[in-house]
Every structure is written in structure tokens, then in C-alpha cells.
Amino acid sequence: MNFDDIKNDWNNPDVGAETISASMLKVKEAHTPIDIIRKKMKHEFFYQIFFLVIMFFLPVMISFSATTQMAYLACYAIICGFSAYYFFKFYKFYKNSYDMSMDSRKSILWFYYEMKLNIELYKALTYIVAFIAVAFGAIYILVEQNADLSKILAKLSPVYILLNCFISILIIGIITELWAWYYYGKYLKRVKKVVDELDFE
Amino acid sequence: MKETENIFLDLINQHKAIIHKVSKMYTDGTEEQRDLFQEIVLQLWKAYPGFKGNSKFSTWMYRVSLNTALVYFKKDQRKVDKTPLDAHIDVMDNTESDQKEEKLAYLYKAVQELNAVEKALIFLFLENQSHKEIAENLGISELNARVRLNRTKEKLQIIIKKNGYEF
């Protein structure tokens, strides 16, 4: 194979007479991994807002005692606080523009770390909300003193209860990691592959 | 805004061969090619306000086009089509132009078996860029660019030979 011959042919290509028109600039949706992740996070943002609204009306639908209601409101306020903080971070990520004219290594590393950071933020929010929900569950069990529930609890050893808490936390962790990997990880993996190919010597 | 758009369209149309070639290097199929072409045009337009004219417009276009292709993601990532090249290319007449087209078609087909960075190396080499320019565009050292380009050229020759074509 003669690369010089190929170069000659390569540099005189027939690219057709089709002209790039203004309509091609009007397309709004880009398909870089970061754009895809942003779009998915935007969808999740609306689900979370919906979930928070439903949570607000939960005490109306379920009759809590005054103490449980106080605990619920405290947990709800904490979840809202954390959600607001993370929503703000995601909003910044969503609005943050990227520079495609840097050299490839810089550009792709930026993509990689920006995506990784936001996936970690996403996981952190999921952990926080899940742990607060578990904590509220524990408060509910202890405060409500439901007769049947008290009977069951009295029969269980503290070690068994602690073990259950540990397993619950482990399951939350595994589900969060798997979900984040399934939903966002493949994009990160693809960009990481290009980073590794660039760093290969 | 309209004026900026017109200037941009003039410039991009003068150099549209770059986008065509990058799209063909990074995709294997007309529809995918069109999608990547569209994506590159969009990314160029989005990045255009940041173009200050410190480098040639074509140099800037190389970077944006290649970076877009390197991270371009389609949901249905297709596997590389490894069917023999002859199956895709009709028997052509022996005119010089047809031979040239055939040669390029075989090249594009073989390039699909390279990884994303190897494609970038071959693309920049074919665009007559020096080792230094290739290194600057990819953000790697000049020595690394030289070594990896040589390896990639050898790999490409093996692929083309394996597929039963020689030029």
C-alpha cells in the first residue's frame, strides 16, 4: 500500500455539490455523551419534583401521630434542602457549555471528569434520600408502637435488627450503583475508552 | 446574527470536505454518516463564537470535527462490518476516477477496524499534517504521535492485505 498515492486521492475527494444550509444550524439536540446525560438528568429532575410533591401530601393521606408527623416534616425538610443543593449543581452542569476546540486530550478529559463528577453527585443525592427514608422508617416503627409491630420487635435480638439495617444499607448501595451504571455508566465507559486510547504509549 | 450565520456558512462550505471525510472515517453506513455530519456542523456552529481567528479556520475545524467524532455516541452502536470489501463495492470500470473512488472506498472500509484514536492519527496524516501538528491536535507528545502513526499505518496495511486488496 502506497500512502503517498492514497494521500493524492484523499486530498481530491468528490464531496458532492450539497451545500450546508442554515437549517442544519437550527437543530437543538446534540448527541455527545454529555448532552445525552444532561437530557437524562433533566428528565429525572422532573420525576424528583413530582416525587417531592407527592411526599408533601403523604401525611394527609396517611394519618401519622403528632410526633411522627414532626419527624416526617423534619425528614422532608432535610430531603428538600439536599435536593435544592443538588438541583442547583445539576443546573450548573446543564448550563455549562463545553469547548470542542481544545486539543483532543484536554477536550475528552474535560468530558470525562465533568460526567464522572455529576454521576457521583447523582449517586450522593440518591444515597442521602434513601438513608433519610430508612431513618424515617425506623422512627416510625419506634414511635408509632403499633401493637403487632411491637410484638415482632420484642422477639428479635438487637444483633438481628442491626444485621438487617446493615443489609438494607448494602442493598441501597448496590441498587444505586447498578442504576447509575445502567443509566449513565455506559457513556462514561465509552469516553474513558477514548481517554485510555489517547494515553496509550 | 444573520450576518454571522452567513459568514459561518461560507467558511464551512469552503471546508466541508473535512466534515465529509471525518464522518466517513468514524461511521460505517450512509445514515450514520449523515447523523455524524449533522452533529459536527452543529458542534462547529455552537463553538463558532469562541473562534477568535488565532489559527486558520480549517485548523479550528479539524479540532472541533475530530473531538466531536471521538465522543459521538449513538444509541445503536453498530459493530464493525467485517464482510469482505468486494461484497460492498460494485465492480468498477477502469477509469482513473473509478479506481480512485474504489481505492478510497477500500480505505474507508479498512479504517473501520481501527480504534477512535488510530482513526484520528490516520486522518490527520492523510490531511498532510506533520507529526508536530498531529501531536498538537491530539494533545500527545510528538514522539508518541510519530511512533503511534507508524504502528497504525502498519496495522492498516495488514487489514487491507487481510481483506484481499493491495494498493
Side-chain angles (χ1 to χ4, degrees):
Chain A
M1 177 174 162
N2 187 334
F3 278 105
D4 290 328
D5 279 353
I6 281 283
K7 260 187 180 181
N8 286 335
D9 297 336
W10 177 269
N11 287 306
N12 299 298
D14 175 19
V15 293
E18 191 196 340
T19 306
I20 298 167
S21 63
S23 63
M24 287 183 84
L25 313 179
K26 305 286 185 280
V27 179
K28 291 240 162 43
E29 201 169 292
H31 288 92
T32 65
I34 221 153
D35 292 302
I36 297 170
I37 288 186
R38 280 173 176 175
K39 198 176 151 198
K40 286 192 168 199
M41 282 189 172
K42 189 179 160 189
H43 286 160
E44 286 215 23
F45 168 80
F46 291 116
Y47 294 139
Q48 283 167 0
I49 293 283
F50 177 72
F51 176 67
L52 283 176
V53 172
I54 294 288
M55 273 181 73
F56 182 78
F57 291 106
L58 202 66
V60 183
M61 294 184 266
I62 302 168
S63 51
F64 290 143
S65 68
T67 319
T68 314
Q69 194 156 351
M70 282 296 286
Y72 181 84
L73 287 176
C75 289
Y76 183 72
I78 295 168
I79 289 177
C80 284
F82 275 114
S83 297
Y85 172 74
Y86 283 103
F87 287 164
F88 176 66
K89 291 266 181 193
F90 290 137
Y91 178 75
K92 273 172 69 180
F93 169 60
Y94 189 74
K95 286 286 170 194
N96 199 3
S97 59
Y98 47 79
D99 184 3
M100 279 284 199
S101 59
M102 290 189 285
D103 68 56
S104 298
R105 195 171 181 281
K106 272 189 201 153
S107 171
I108 288 158
L109 274 179
W110 181 89
F111 265 69
Y112 178 67
Y113 286 112
E114 188 78 355
M115 285 160 65
K116 202 170 166 58
L117 176 72
N118 280 281
I119 291 171
E120 291 304 322
L121 277 173
Y122 168 82
K123 284 199 280 190
L125 178 63
T126 313
Y127 278 125
I128 289 167
V129 172
F131 288 143
I132 293 172
V134 169
F136 175 73
I139 293 170
Y140 179 81
I141 290 169
L142 293 171
V143 172
E144 289 293 318
Q145 294 290 326
N146 177 294
D148 295 334
L149 213 58
S150 300
K151 267 186 208 166
I152 297 168
L153 279 176
K155 284 181 188 167
L156 300 174
S157 73
V159 176
Y160 183 81
I161 295 170
L162 274 176
L163 198 67
N164 264 288
C165 290
F166 176 74
I167 290 170
S168 304
I169 290 168
L170 201 66
I171 290 170
I172 290 170
I174 291 169
I175 291 172
T176 307
E177 293 294 329
L178 286 178
W179 176 248
W181 179 249
Y182 169 76
Y183 212 49
Y184 299 112
K186 57 187 169 192
Y187 306 106
L188 195 65
K189 191 179 163 191
R190 181 171 156 78
V191 174
K192 177 76 167 68
K193 194 170 164 241
V194 181
V195 172
D196 290 344
E197 283 168 7
L198 272 168
D199 285 344
F200 180 78
E201 300 221 356
Chain B
M1 186 64 185
K2 194 76 189 160
E3 194 189 344
T4 312
E5 196 177 284
N6 289 337
I7 295 169
F8 173 76
L9 286 171
D10 275 350
L11 286 167
I12 205 173
N13 274 305
Q14 281 169 35
H15 301 283
K16 66 180 176 184
I18 295 174
I19 315 175
H20 271 284
K21 287 188 271 190
V22 171
S23 309
K24 280 180 113 171
M25 289 280 283
Y26 280 86
T27 54
D28 192 16
T30 320
E31 200 182 322
E32 264 193 286
Q33 239 168 60
R34 210 177 300 126
D35 289 348
L36 179 55
F37 187 92
Q38 166 71 69
E39 181 73 19
I40 294 172
V41 171
L42 179 65
Q43 291 297 345
L44 284 163
W45 176 233
K46 280 170 76 177
Y48 186 60
F51 175 66
K52 303 287 177 234
N54 297 330
S55 60
K56 282 198 287 183
F57 186 76
S58 58
T59 309
W60 174 82
M61 258 184 89
Y62 280 126
R63 283 199 175 181
V64 178
S65 305
L66 268 183
N67 289 343
T68 305
L70 284 170
V71 294
Y72 182 67
F73 197 95
K74 274 209 78 172
K75 202 176 174 186
D76 54 338
Q77 287 288 313
R78 291 181 196 173
K79 287 186 178 169
V80 176
D81 181 0
K82 293 188 177 179
T83 48
L85 295 166
D86 313 55
H88 292 272
I89 299 162
D90 296 333
V91 176
M92 295 188 176
D93 298 333
N94 281 334
T95 65
E96 200 180 319
S97 168
D98 288 339
Q99 278 180 351
K100 183 182 117 180
E101 287 303 311
E102 189 185 12
K103 220 188 270 187
L104 286 178
Y106 275 95
L107 176 76
Y108 279 123
K109 194 77 193 148
V111 155
Q112 300 311 314
E113 291 186 43
L114 301 177
N115 70 35
V117 175
E118 289 168 340
K119 284 179 185 176
L121 284 160
I122 285 291
F123 170 76
L124 293 170
F125 162 76
L126 292 171
E127 289 290 311
N128 283 322
Q129 296 214 354
S130 66
H131 292 123
K132 188 167 178 273
E133 287 168 320
I134 294 174
E136 280 171 2
N137 274 320
L138 295 182
I140 57 178
S141 71
E142 196 178 331
L143 179 67
N144 196 359
R146 188 190 303 270
V147 172
R148 291 179 67 183
L149 177 62
N150 285 337
R151 276 191 214 146
T152 307
K153 279 156 78 177
E154 282 169 21
K155 188 174 170 183
L156 192 58
Q157 278 179 321
I158 291 168
I159 295 168
I160 288 174
K161 216 176 256 181
K162 184 187 78 186
N163 289 330
Y165 196 75
E166 191 70 64
F167 50 82

